[in-house]
Amino acid sequence: MGASESKLEFKEDIFRLAGEEDIAIESQWWTRFLQLPETAEDVQALWSTTDLRSLTLNTPTDRPLPNTQTSPKKNVETLIYRTIGRLLTLQTRRVYSDPNSPIAPEVLNGVRILTRLLPYIYEAEHLHDWEEQFFWTPRKPVSYVDPKNNKSKYFDGLDETKSVSEEQRDTPLGPPLGEQLVDILINYLFFPNFTLPARKDVNGLPELKPSYIVWQSGIGANKGVGMTKENEKNAVEVLRLLLALSSRALYHAAGIVAERDNKPLTYLTTQCDRQITLNTICSLLNTVLKYNQNPWTFPIDLGGPTKDTKQPLVTSCLQFLLVLITYPVPNNGANEFRKALGRLHRAEDFQFIVEGLRQILIQPASGMFRPVQRLTSTVPPIAPETLSLFWELLQCNKRFRSYLIDTDRARDFVVLVLYYAIEAKDDPAKQGTVRMCVFILQTLSVEEKFGQKLNVPFTFHETLPAVLQIANFHGSYADFLIGHIHTLLTSSNRGLESLHPALLAIVNNIGPYVQDLQRATSSMLLNVFVSMSQPSFLLANESNHLLLVSLLDAINAILEHQYEENRRFVEVIVKSRKRFEALRDFTVDGALAEVDRMAMERKDAGEATGHRSPARPGSLDSTRAPASTRSSTLNNVPEDSAFSIGDDEEDEEEQTSNLSSPTSAPTSALDDAVPSQSRNMSEKARGKQPIGQTSFSHTTSRNTSTTSLHALHALQTSTSHQNFTPTPEWLHTFLPHLPLHTILTTINHAKEPHPRANKAEDAGAVPSATTKHAGEGGEEEAKEGKLLPGRFCFISQMLIDMVLL
């Protein structure tokens, strides 16, 4: 369609669709839309947004208001019928005088027209009922008024040459039009001379029968079909239309998407023949995993469009594959594509998957690309979708998850996943990537063997990209993982707050297995504890205490199961004993007094700077003070750096006393960590206060936290919690039940060594690295993501010894 006259004529045909009413379906004029365009750009440019919206806006004479429309123009129905009918005809019989003529141009134009039109139908709310009736009810004859005698004529919409008598006008002609369109498109994915190489039938003519075979070698096939570049381009066009047809959910409100039935996807995932299902999923998966196997062919980003002709096909395959395997069938129906993915079991298939995923994800993190780092793309364009595919594989196929961990490849993926999380954490537009990475790690962490595999020394830290390196790092994979979890927890991006429960759940799940944690890693965990145990954090909203409970459970898991193997961690806990004792002494009265004290300090700071705080002094209104008026009264508690550990108690107090807040009188970090009502109490008096022994249940709710750790020294508020006011009744629900018993018993045991404790250790009371951490059913609970219960053997022995003394 290179000539300007041809384009002008085609544009006039489009104008005629909107300007002329009820063009007859049997007119040969409709074939112009399928025969004239030569490229995808022609269809995109000539079918403008204005033209398409004018077709979906139909104002009948009896309903003059546009908002009352219930159907598009009659010509839209005819255009859809003629386009789908032509696609079916080209697939089932020879229509050209020359039987060797290629069918691709007409097929591509029909596919492109529907791809262009469907989104405008979906976005028009007034067409929802019409769309449901037109596409998803049994197909009936279509009627048109004969201008010669003003009588209605009836035709089969998919075959304009087949007329229907008036008596049969209500008789169904076949399955719904939408289902037929899905079947036609799936057949074109496996159609010779279109998406597959040319084939001849027994008469030497081009084959018109779909051939359901896997496109690429890999899973389900030892040899590929040898698709040409033209075949690949045609497959991209068909996949785009399938994606557009399945995109109905994009036009629903977020809260009701899961409740709506996406008819094309329901039909695809439940009604397709098993052979079609298996060949489709293997073709899509193999095409993605075989992409870019030669690392030196990785596309170079020079600021222009990519020259990689394979990338559009891989991207479309990956997107359509994810749509198929993640679709929740209504009424808890079985998704056959997801079932097929979950049934994979051969080791060679898993090896193929692992290598393919790794090859895509490793590109920006690979050391071999450092010489051209400024030229290569930072992140592969399909990396987010690849991470999604990896997560879905981990969830729906337990054998794959076990294979990944048993072969030690899980450690490699921990590094890769952390790279994408850290690289994207400060970009609000990439929060979805960070979430996906965290959920991948959480899914892996529920496996017992995963935690054990993390105790291997991390020996290639210096070869990692700069964004992934930890200063002065030395330790195991567990140290590396916890270090970057600390980075994500203390990130300044408030959009990551909802991930804090999942991040703490990872530490909680691997806690019973990690050994020989380094001092820096232990300090990071204590750093997070100090921030979460501040009154300003606990009283900020009604759910922040759950994060503290989760962190305490993680610390308990390490102490209960790997006490002997984590001497540095135990030492850090003991050195920080006053932090835990302060939390133990954090009573309801002290909490309320702390709120009033902080309100007074903010008021004094406001008067000193000439700005008054809107919060009332001496009341709980201070918890709702805007962030801009809050005073940093707890800045002396380190939050974004490693928690300082001295050689003894005096060194600890000496170090913390040098970190006083610039807006208040110089006080030690310890005093700020201890509630005001307990600061004048003696150590002996504090020790007499009760220790909560009831452990709070672990939670992994994604919306638990609304407070960012980078500002835990101030009272944080959010839109959903701006009216929250802490009350004594609310404080009583969790303060007496904080799981501090294990930690404080460990501290007391370390502070007061005695012969009986040593004998208990010699007798094996303290669990070794191989102590079983759970009773019957522990493995099943771990796989469900639940916390593993401890056996308090060494704590019980210490309590007996203390009583005897």
Side-chain angles (χ1 to χ4, degrees), residues 52 81 155 256 282 289 317 343 346 366 372 388 434 447 463 488 507 536 538 551 618 658 683 722 779:
L52 292 167
Y81 266 123
F155 296 89
I256 64 173
C282 289
L289 297 177
C317 287
R343 284 195 296 262
R346 299 194 307 170
S366 176
V372 291
S388 298
V434 182
E447 296 289 337
T463 66
L488 293 173
V507 182
S536 57
L538 291 176
L551 179 60
N658 294 328
E683 185 70 22
Q722 59 184 358
E779 182 178 351

Side-chain angles (χ1 to χ4, degrees), residues 424-429 431 434-435 487-501 503 536-537 540-541 544 547 625-628 630 702-722:
K425 69 180 180 65
D426 295 323
D427 188 350
Q431 289 184 13
V434 182
R435 291 174 180 274
T487 300
L488 293 173
L489 284 170
T490 57
S491 172
S492 59
N493 188 353
R494 291 186 62 104
L496 303 181
E497 294 166 359
S498 61
L499 291 178
H500 292 172
L503 290 168
S536 57
F537 178 76
N541 64 57
N544 275 357
L547 293 177
S628 59
R630 297 172 190 149
R702 297 183 181 180
N703 298 316
T704 300
S705 171
T706 55
T707 306
S708 178
L709 291 179
H710 76 282
L712 293 180
H713 60 278
L715 289 178
Q716 301 296 313
T717 58
S718 67
T719 304
S720 59
H721 294 280
Q722 59 184 358

Side-chain angles (χ1 to χ4, degrees), residues 20 37 132-134 200 308 321 328 357 401 415 426 439 449 496 507 529 536 584 605 615 633 655 687 751 780:
E20 184 175 335
E132 184 79 14
Q133 176 73 21
F134 182 73
K200 302 289 185 179
D308 185 3
L321 176 62
L357 294 174
R401 192 163 66 229
V415 178
D426 295 323
F439 297 150
K449 291 183 179 180
L496 303 181
V507 182
F529 165 75
S536 57
R584 175 197 64 188
T633 60
Q655 291 174 2
K751 285 168 56 178
E780 288 74 17

Side-chain angles (χ1 to χ4, degrees), residues 757 759-768 792-795 797-798:
K759 291 180 181 179
E761 290 182 11
D762 295 338
V766 179
S768 64
F792 299 81
C793 54
F794 80 103
I795 298 175
Q797 184 62 49
M798 287 189 290

Side-chain angles (χ1 to χ4, degrees), residues 198-443:
R199 291 179 56 184
K200 302 289 185 179
D201 60 15
V202 294
N203 298 320
L205 299 176
E207 180 67 71
L208 289 181
K209 183 179 180 181
S211 180
Y212 301 111
I213 54 179
V214 180
W215 293 348
Q216 302 282 348
S217 61
I219 301 173
N222 295 325
K223 184 179 179 181
V225 297
M227 297 173 69
T228 65
K229 290 185 178 180
E230 289 301 319
N231 295 149
E232 293 177 352
K233 291 180 181 179
N234 295 341
V236 170
E237 299 280 2
V238 177
L239 288 170
R240 284 175 178 167
L241 177 52
L242 283 168
L243 285 169
L245 185 64
S246 305
S247 66
R248 190 69 186 85
L250 295 176
Y251 303 91
H252 290 309
I256 64 173
V257 168
E259 303 173 1
R260 296 297 180 93
D261 182 7
N262 191 320
K263 296 296 180 60
L265 287 178
T266 300
Y267 179 73
L268 265 170
T269 56
T270 61
Q271 301 299 321
C272 277
D273 183 79
R274 186 171 184 271
Q275 181 186 8
I276 297 177
T277 298
L278 295 178
N279 283 280
T280 300
I281 194 170
C282 289
S283 296
L284 299 176
L285 190 58
N286 292 351
T287 302
V288 172
L289 297 177
K290 287 182 71 68
Y291 175 59
N292 193 33
Q293 286 205 331
N294 181 2
W296 297 109
T297 64
F298 188 76
I300 292 181
D301 183 9
L302 296 177
T306 177
K307 296 181 180 180
D308 185 3
T309 58
K310 195 83 170 180
Q311 182 177 314
L313 176 63
V314 174
T315 302
S316 299
C317 287
L318 182 53
Q319 291 173 348
F320 188 52
L321 176 62
L322 287 173
V323 168
L324 289 175
I325 64 177
T326 59
Y327 177 64
V329 178
N331 302 319
N332 297 320
N335 184 327
E336 295 300 325
F337 285 88
R338 190 173 183 86
K339 284 177 61 178
L341 197 64
R343 284 195 296 262
L344 295 176
H345 62 278
R346 299 194 307 170
E348 52 267 35
D349 291 343
F350 292 152
Q351 182 180 1
F352 174 75
I353 293 174
V354 168
E355 289 300 327
L357 294 174
R358 178 182 175 276
Q359 188 60 56
I360 297 174
L361 296 176
I362 201 175
Q363 299 297 340
S366 176
M368 70 175 63
F369 287 98
R370 289 195 174 193
V372 291
Q373 185 174 4
R374 298 185 65 180
L375 295 179
T376 57
S377 301
T378 303
V379 173
I382 60 173
E385 289 91 345
T386 304
L387 290 169
S388 298
L389 175 60
F390 181 42
W391 187 40
E392 295 301 330
L393 281 164
L394 290 173
Q395 291 185 99
C396 72
N397 196 313
K398 295 181 180 180
R399 299 184 189 93
F400 173 73
R401 192 163 66 229
S402 299
Y403 173 87
L404 192 71
I405 296 173
D406 292 340
T407 57
D408 297 335
R409 303 305 296 273
R411 292 197 293 263
D412 297 338
F413 279 92
V414 167
V415 178
L416 291 174
V417 169
L418 285 174
Y419 168 79
Y420 287 96
I422 299 300
E423 191 272 340
K425 69 180 180 65
D426 295 323
D427 188 350
K430 297 181 179 179
Q431 289 184 13
T433 300
V434 182
R435 291 174 180 274
M436 187 59 57
C437 293
V438 173
F439 297 150
I440 288 172
L441 294 173
Q442 186 179 13
T443 303

